[in-house]
């Protein structure tokens, strides 16, 4: 390969070749080396620091360097801040052991652009068994990595969509099973309103990217359609995890509907006072629902949807205890969630009549 070398070197025989091609195999090998689309380099294994002595056009095009910028240099100039020390150590160990190795390593072009390089390094020995050169071929894996990451992200997204869909369907199933009405039209209306409350919560989740959902925003969303200006909201900014939102939305919806039909909102002077605060441990929150001026709640022959739902979901989705106490001049309910809640950064409170 280099005329000055005293060591004898015979290249590998082609796996398949005609007699005519075999006669010209050295020239054909040089042509293939230069014209192949795979980046390739050869380093001198007898010299300190293994300088590059051959590099093909594809290597120069991949890295962005000119021929005079790579010849005589060690290939480490392709490394950068994010190059894995483990990958570098694996390459060094293979060189020291004069053995083949394939490593995927993050390299850098002359422009500073990163690219994922699948490097295959192979030692070239002379007829006497001594190391002469190292041959390296590269495959740019950047696009493959990007597609792989997209596929992984898509898979996670599909798994998350599947999980969320099952949760929603489970809630809808509970709505259908637990809703009670002797009149088919009232039954249909009750289900429709509960599904609409669920849909409003879903819209809020989607708008916030299914993360950092404001407790105040959810309470206002479910209560304001029934209370208008007859509600007072008070509490610090608290962010909830997504799994809590839809079950809690339906509990709030049921409390608001009951207040409108049988409680404080059913009388002219009645009003709601809703407050919330984080639990002392920082895990979860309290919601205090008070109806001022509400008439005495009627005695029902059986538990309604709201009571059954609250008891069921408080044990599963909300990880919670739901307590409700009737009073002569009002109704007081307390919701307690054990799910992790995060105070918002500004720490302000909201109060409105």
């Amino acid at each position: 390969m280099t005329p000055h070398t005293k060591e004898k070197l015979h290249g590998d025989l082609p796996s398949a070749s005609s007699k005519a091609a075999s006669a010209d195999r050295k020239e054909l090998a040089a042509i293939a080396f230069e014209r192949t689309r795979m980046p390739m380099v050869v380093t001198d294994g007898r010299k300190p620091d293994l300088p590059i002595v051959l590099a093909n056009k594809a290597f120069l095009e991949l890295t962005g360097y000119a021929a005079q910028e790579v010849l005589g240099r060690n290939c480490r100039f392709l490394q950068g801040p994010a190059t894995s020390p483990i990958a570098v150590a694996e390459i060094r160990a293979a060189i020291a052991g004069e053995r083949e190795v394939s490593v995927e390593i993050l390299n850098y072009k002359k422009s500073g652009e990163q690219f994922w390089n699948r490097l295959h390094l192979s030692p070239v020995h002379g007829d006497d068994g001594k190391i002469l050169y190292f041959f390296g071929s590269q495959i740019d894996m950047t696009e493959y990595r990007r597609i792989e990451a997209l596929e992984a992200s898509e898979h996670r997204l599909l798994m998350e969509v599947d999980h969320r869909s099952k949760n929603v369907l489970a809630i809808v199933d509970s709505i259908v099973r637990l809703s009670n009405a002797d009149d088919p039209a009232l039954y249909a209306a009750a289900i429709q309103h509960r599904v609409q409350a669920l849909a409003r919560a879903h819209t809020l989740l989607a708008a916030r990217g299914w993360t950092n959902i404001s407790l105040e925003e959810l309470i206002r969303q479910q209560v304001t359609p029934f209370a208008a200006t007859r509600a007072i909201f008070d509490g610090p900014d608290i962010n909830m995890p997504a799994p809590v939102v839809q079950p809690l939305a339906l509990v709030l919806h049921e409390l608001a509907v009951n207040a409108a039909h049988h409680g404080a909102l059913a009388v002219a002077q009645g009003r709601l006072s809703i407050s919330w605060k984080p639990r002392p441990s920082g895990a979860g929150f309290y919601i205090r629902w008070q109806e001022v001026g509400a008439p005495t709640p009627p005695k029902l022959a059986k538990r309604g949807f709201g009571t059954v739902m609250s008891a069921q979901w408080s044990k599963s989705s909300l990880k919670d205890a739901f307590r409700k106490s009737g009073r002569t001049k009002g109704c007081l309910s307390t919701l307690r969630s054990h799910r992790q809640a995060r105070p918002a950064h500004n720490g302000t409170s909201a109060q409105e009549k």
Side-chain angles (χ1 to χ4, degrees):
M1 297 184 63
T2 53
H4 68 273
T5 182
K6 295 180 181 180
E7 296 87 349
K8 289 185 178 181
L9 173 65
H10 293 89
D12 298 334
L13 293 175
S15 299
S17 67
S18 65
K19 289 183 179 180
S22 293
D24 295 329
R25 65 186 182 90
K26 291 184 178 180
E27 289 74 14
L28 290 174
I31 292 171
F33 179 85
E34 183 59 23
R35 295 187 182 182
T36 182
R37 296 181 181 179
M38 177 178 286
M40 297 180 180
V41 294
V42 176
T43 66
D44 193 333
R46 297 157 298 180
K47 292 185 177 181
D49 216 25
L50 307 179
I52 295 174
V53 294
L54 280 176
N56 68 356
K57 181 180 179 181
F59 178 83
L60 300 179
E61 290 178 345
L62 171 63
T63 62
Y65 288 94
Q68 64 272 19
E69 293 177 304
V70 303
L71 290 174
R73 299 180 66 184
N74 184 281
C75 290
R76 74 172 63 90
F77 69 86
L78 295 176
Q79 298 172 18
T83 300
S84 169
I86 297 175
V88 173
E90 190 174 354
I91 294 170
R92 288 176 178 171
I95 292 173
E98 298 180 10
R99 56 182 174 80
E100 291 191 358
V101 68
S102 292
V103 178
E104 199 157 301
I105 185 170
L106 183 67
N107 282 156
Y108 290 77
K109 300 180 181 181
K110 182 179 179 180
S111 64
E113 179 185 353
Q114 296 178 344
F115 70 98
W116 281 101
N117 180 10
R118 179 175 288 176
L119 170 67
H120 179 75
L121 194 65
S122 180
V124 179
H125 296 94
D127 293 347
D128 59 0
K130 293 182 178 180
I131 189 69
L132 296 179
Y133 301 97
F134 284 96
F135 168 78
S137 63
Q138 294 87 27
I139 299 176
D140 185 357
M141 300 296 293
T142 308
E143 184 65 14
Y144 176 82
R145 281 257 186 162
R146 187 186 69 83
I147 294 173
E148 191 176 48
L150 286 174
E151 289 178 346
S153 178
E154 181 182 13
H155 178 72
R156 288 194 299 270
L157 176 61
L158 290 174
M159 292 292 289
E160 182 67 18
V161 169
D162 178 66
H163 175 71
R164 292 174 182 175
S165 298
K166 288 179 180 177
N167 285 346
V168 172
L169 290 174
I171 295 173
V172 172
D173 176 72
S174 298
I175 290 174
V176 174
R177 287 187 298 103
L178 299 177
S179 295
N180 296 312
D182 296 329
D183 188 312
L186 293 177
Y187 176 77
I191 290 179
Q192 180 183 13
H193 291 152
R194 286 159 183 157
V195 171
Q196 288 174 348
L198 187 64
R200 288 195 297 270
H202 185 88
T203 299
L204 178 60
L205 283 165
R208 300 295 177 267
W210 290 78
T211 183
N212 295 332
I213 310 302
S214 167
L215 175 59
E216 178 188 351
E217 192 171 4
L218 179 68
I219 293 174
R220 288 179 179 273
Q221 181 197 63
Q222 297 298 329
V223 173
T224 301
F226 300 93
T229 60
R230 298 170 62 188
I232 298 174
F233 304 94
D234 185 27
D237 288 340
I238 296 176
N239 291 328
M240 300 177 293
V244 173
V245 173
Q246 289 171 324
L248 179 57
L250 283 173
V251 172
L252 293 169
H253 170 78
E254 291 304 312
L255 288 171
V257 169
N258 289 336
H261 289 174
H262 312 293
L265 300 181
V267 296
Q269 302 302 319
R271 68 183 187 276
L272 300 179
S273 176
I274 306 169
S275 60
W276 56 91
K277 62 180 180 180
R279 288 170 56 84
S281 63
F285 51 85
Y286 294 105
I287 300 177
R288 186 176 187 272
W289 177 289
Q290 185 174 14
E291 299 181 26
V292 181
T296 303
K299 293 184 178 180
L300 300 177
K302 57 182 178 179
R303 296 191 303 170
F305 173 84
T307 304
V308 176
M309 178 197 65
S310 299
Q312 177 175 323
W313 286 338
S314 67
K315 294 179 181 178
S316 57
S317 297
L318 292 179
K319 307 294 183 188
D320 195 356
F322 175 75
R323 299 197 304 271
K324 184 174 181 179
S325 59
R327 295 184 178 179
T328 304
K329 295 185 179 180
C331 176
L332 176 66
S333 302
T334 302
L335 287 170
R336 184 177 63 213
S337 172
H338 294 276
R339 287 291 186 100
Q340 185 67 37
R342 294 181 297 275
H345 294 299
N346 55 21
T348 59
S349 62
Q351 186 166 340
E352 178 183 323
K353 285 189 177 182

